Amino acid sequence: MNKGKVWLVGAGPGDIGLFTLKGMEVLRQADVVVYDSLVGQGVLAKVPDTARLINVGKRADRHTMPQEQINQVLLKEAQEGHRVVRLKGGDPFLFGRGGEELELLTQNGIPYEVVPGVTSPIAVPAYNGIPVTHRDFCSSLHIITGHRRAGQEYDIDFNALVRTKGTLVFLMGIAALPDLMKGLLKGGMDPDMPAAVLQQGTTAGQKRVVATLGTLEDEVKRQGIETPAIIVVGKVCTLADEFAWYERLPLAGWKVLVTRPKERSSRTADILRRKGAEVLELPSIKTVPLENENPLHSAMDRIGEYQWLVFTSPTGVEVFFRELRLQHKDIRSLGSIKIASIGQGTAKALEEKGLLTDLIPEVYDGDSLGEALAAELKGGEKILIPRAEKGNKNLTAILREAGASVDDVATYETVYQKSELIHVGDEIRKGSINCVVFTSASTVKGFVNSTGLEDYSGITAACIGKQTKAAADSYGMKTYMAEKATIEALVSLVENIKATEQE
C-alpha cells in the first residue's frame, strides 16, 4: 500500500475570504479532514462531500480529543494511504501545536506539507481598524499565549514585555484577562495605555471593546464579550475608531445562509461577502441528472421537428448540453430552432454554450414564461422543454392551451441535502443566522427538511420570485421578495432588509 500524506493547513481567522488559495486546493483533494472548533464555518462548508470527517474539538480547555491522540490519528490515516488534511484555525505553527503533530509523522517517515494560514493576531486587529505596527507608536509586535496550564503560574516576563514598548497581542487570554492586566501593571506599564478586546474578528460576530489597561476589565464586564477573542495592548488601539472599515460595509455584522445548490451558490455568496456579510454556503438541495436520459436522447434525434426549445434553469442547460455531447452532437444539430429562457441566469448559461436566447419574459417565473411564449405562437408548434422532474405544471398548460404540442422531458431531479459538519437547526435556534436566501421553492423545502424546526416564524427569508416566496410563506417565515429574479436584486433585497430591521 502506498503511504498517504498529511497537510497541516491553516484555515485563517474565520472569514472564508482569508483562506489561502493553496489551502483551498489541498482541501478539495482531501480523503480525510481532521478539524478543530476554531475553523470558520465558511471554510468547513468547503470540505468536499467525499471526505471523511474527524472532529477533534480543541477550544480552550474543552478538547474532544487529547493532542497525543490527534497525533496518532494523523499517523494512522496516513499509513492507510489517505490524503489527510489537518485543518487548524489560524496558522498551524502559531500556538497551534503543529510542531508536535509533525514530530510523530517525521519519526515514522510520513510525508507532509505545511500550508500557512492568515493569523488572527494580525488579521483581527486589521478588521477592527488597528494596525499592529505604526511608526509613530511602536517598532515591534509581540504575540503571547494567554493560556496557562491548570494550577501553574504564567511563564511570562511582564517586565520585559513592558520594556519593549511594542504592541502586545494575547491569544486565548479572555478567561485570564484580570491576571494579564495586573501582570502588565505590576511590570510598570502606564494604566492609561490603550488596550482592546476583539471578539470573533472577521466574522458577523465581530465586536470590540476599547479602553485602557486600567479600565479594560471593567469595560469587558459591562459590555460583555464572547469567545474566541484576542487582547491587544498598545498605543495603536487609539486608531480603531478612525481606521475602522469592516463595520462600515452595508452587510457587516450579518450572517446570511445561502441555500442554492453548491455549483450555483458561489456568485451569490461572493457578492454578499463583498457587501460585508458572513456567508454560510449550505446547499439545501442538489441537482442530479437522471440515470435514464433516453427520452431526452429521443427528442434530440428528432430536434428538427421542434420550433422552440425552452430552458427553465441553468442546470437544465448544463444537463442538455452534456447529453448532447454524449450523443456526439453539437449546437449545429439544433438548426434554426428558437430558444426561450426563464431568466437572465439561464440565458447566460446558454450564451456560454454559444447560443443567444430569443425570448425572456419580463418576470422570471414559469407562468410568465408560458404567457410570453404563448403570445408568440400561431398554433400547432412543437415545443421541447428539458427540465427538472417536478417542474411548474402551469408552464405546459399555458402552452398547450395556446395550441402547442409540448414535450415536457425530465432530465434531472432535485434531492434534499444537509450538512454533516454544520447543524443549521442549531444555528437557527442560537439566533446566529440573520437572513436565509432562497432562490427556488425547492430550496425552501430542502431547508425545512434539513433543519427540522417546529417553528419557522423567526426566520427572515429573502426570496426570488412568487413561487419561492409562497413556499416560505407556507412555513410561516418572515418573507421578502426581490424586485427582479436576479442575484443582484436579491442581494439588494438583503441590504434593504438589514436597513429596515435596524431602523
Side-chain angles (χ1 to χ4, degrees):
M1 180 184 292
N2 292 330
K3 278 185 185 176
K5 185 172 178 177
V6 175
W7 285 261
L8 293 193
V9 178
D15 182 349
I16 178 67
L18 299 179
F19 189 37
T20 66
L21 292 173
K22 184 168 184 180
M24 187 72 81
E25 178 188 347
V26 169
L27 185 60
R28 286 194 188 109
Q29 299 173 37
D31 300 320
V32 179
V33 176
V34 181
Y35 67 99
D36 60 50
S37 301
L38 289 174
V39 175
Q41 290 181 328
V43 176
L44 290 179
K46 296 295 185 182
V47 173
D49 297 336
T50 53
R52 187 155 45 84
L53 309 170
I54 302 175
N55 180 6
V56 295
K58 293 186 71 61
R59 178 178 282 187
D61 297 326
R62 297 194 305 277
H63 294 186
T64 303
M65 188 181 292
Q67 183 63 52
E68 294 72 20
Q69 192 176 342
I70 295 172
N71 302 345
Q72 291 292 337
V73 166
L74 297 177
L75 175 62
K76 174 178 174 292
E77 295 292 344
Q79 286 177 330
E80 291 177 359
H82 299 131
R83 297 171 59 89
V84 184
V85 169
R86 171 68 173 107
L87 200 55
K88 303 167 79 72
D91 180 89
F93 278 0
L94 186 67
F95 303 129
R97 303 185 75 171
E100 296 173 50
E101 294 175 354
L102 293 188
E103 288 173 3
L104 190 61
L105 299 177
T106 301
Q107 291 167 11
N108 286 271
I110 299 295
Y112 55 79
E113 290 185 31
V114 179
V115 182
V118 174
T119 188
S120 63
I122 295 174
V124 171
Y127 266 54
N128 280 274
I130 299 175
V132 290
T133 64
H134 190 294
R135 64 185 301 174
D136 293 340
F137 298 128
C138 64
S139 58
S140 62
L141 166 67
H142 309 270
I143 302 169
I144 310 105
T145 176
H147 183 65
R148 62 180 172 188
R149 295 187 178 182
Q152 295 186 15
E153 293 295 315
Y154 274 115
D155 185 22
I156 298 175
D157 188 336
F158 287 102
N159 297 69
L161 286 177
V162 173
R163 287 196 302 272
T164 67
K165 298 181 182 179
T167 301
L168 309 180
V169 181
F170 293 89
L171 306 183
M172 302 174 286
I174 294 304
L177 178 64
D179 292 339
L180 295 173
M181 299 301 98
K182 286 173 187 171
L184 291 172
L185 288 169
K186 190 175 178 181
M189 185 171 282
D190 184 347
D192 291 329
M193 175 65 73
V197 169
L198 310 177
Q199 165 189 301
Q200 297 173 12
T202 80
T203 74
Q206 178 168 306
K207 174 183 175 180
R208 71 173 169 273
V209 176
V210 180
T212 65
L213 190 67
T215 62
L216 186 61
E217 182 185 350
D218 290 338
E219 277 300 306
V220 166
K221 287 178 182 176
R222 186 175 70 83
Q223 297 187 39
I225 282 289
E226 298 176 11
T227 57
I230 69 172
I231 303 162
V232 184
V233 179
K235 293 177 182 178
V236 289
C237 293
T238 61
L239 299 170
D241 289 340
E242 181 183 354
F243 289 173
W245 58 273
Y246 177 68
E247 57 257 43
R248 293 173 189 160
L249 297 173
L251 290 177
W254 258 40
K255 192 171 186 177
V256 180
L257 176 62
V258 174
T259 58
R260 298 189 88 187
K262 187 173 287 187
E263 63 275 11
R264 297 287 163 205
S265 66
S266 59
R267 183 163 164 266
T268 311
D270 287 347
I271 298 174
L272 286 166
R273 288 187 181 111
R274 286 201 294 271
K275 300 284 187 177
E278 179 185 354
V279 181
L280 199 50
E281 294 176 79
L282 293 180
S284 62
I285 60 169
K286 64 179 178 179
T287 52
V288 181
L290 299 181
E291 288 187 15
N292 181 5
E293 297 283 8
N294 288 337
L296 177 60
H297 298 163
S298 175
M300 287 175 173
D301 290 338
R302 297 178 285 105
I303 199 71
E305 298 176 9
Y306 297 100
Q307 284 74 52
W308 283 93
L309 177 59
V310 178
F311 291 103
T312 61
S313 71
T315 300
V317 174
E318 293 300 328
V319 174
F320 181 87
F321 283 94
R322 188 198 71 176
E323 293 300 319
L324 195 67
R325 284 194 303 275
L326 290 174
Q327 293 299 300
H328 303 291
K329 294 181 172 70
D330 59 26
I331 59 173
R332 292 173 296 179
S333 67
L334 300 181
S336 60
I337 196 168
K338 289 188 175 181
I339 298 174
S341 299
I342 197 168
Q344 291 292 348
T346 304
K348 185 176 180 182
L350 281 162
E351 193 171 337
E352 290 170 357
K353 305 296 182 186
L355 295 170
L356 298 179
T357 298
D358 297 289
L359 183 145
I360 304 175
E362 288 188 13
V363 178
Y364 303 158
D365 62 35
D367 289 10
S368 300
L369 174 59
E371 291 163 3
L373 182 51
E376 299 288 318
L377 302 179
K378 296 182 174 62
E381 289 93 343
K382 290 198 70 174
I383 299 174
L384 173 61
I385 310 179
R387 60 173 180 166
E389 198 170 36
K390 296 178 181 177
N392 180 338
K393 299 300 180 187
N394 286 348
L395 170 60
T396 51
I398 292 168
L399 295 174
R400 285 172 179 146
E401 194 174 314
S405 172
V406 180
D407 284 350
D408 188 5
V409 178
T411 62
Y412 66 93
E413 63 177 332
T414 301
V415 297
Y416 297 147
Q417 189 175 25
K418 65 188 294 185
S419 171
E420 299 300 323
L421 274 167
I422 301 167
H423 301 290
V424 182
D426 292 344
E427 294 296 313
I428 298 291
R429 292 185 192 95
K430 287 189 299 184
S432 68
I433 305 291
N434 298 97
C435 182
V436 184
V437 171
F438 296 112
T439 55
S440 67
S442 56
T443 61
V444 176
K445 294 168 186 172
F447 170 79
V448 169
N449 180 72
S450 67
T451 54
L453 301 177
E454 294 179 1
D455 180 14
Y456 290 90
S457 61
I459 291 173
T460 298
C463 305
I464 273 187
K466 292 181 293 185
Q467 292 177 335
T468 307
K469 184 178 184 300
D473 282 333
S474 71
Y475 292 102
M477 299 180 195
K478 185 179 179 182
T479 60
Y480 300 83
M481 189 174 80
E483 290 184 4
K484 293 183 70 176
T486 64
I487 298 306
E488 290 76 12
L490 190 60
V491 173
S492 294
L493 174 66
V494 176
E495 288 185 67
N496 292 336
I497 296 170
K498 181 175 186 274
T500 301
E501 294 196 358
Q502 287 182 335
E503 289 177 355

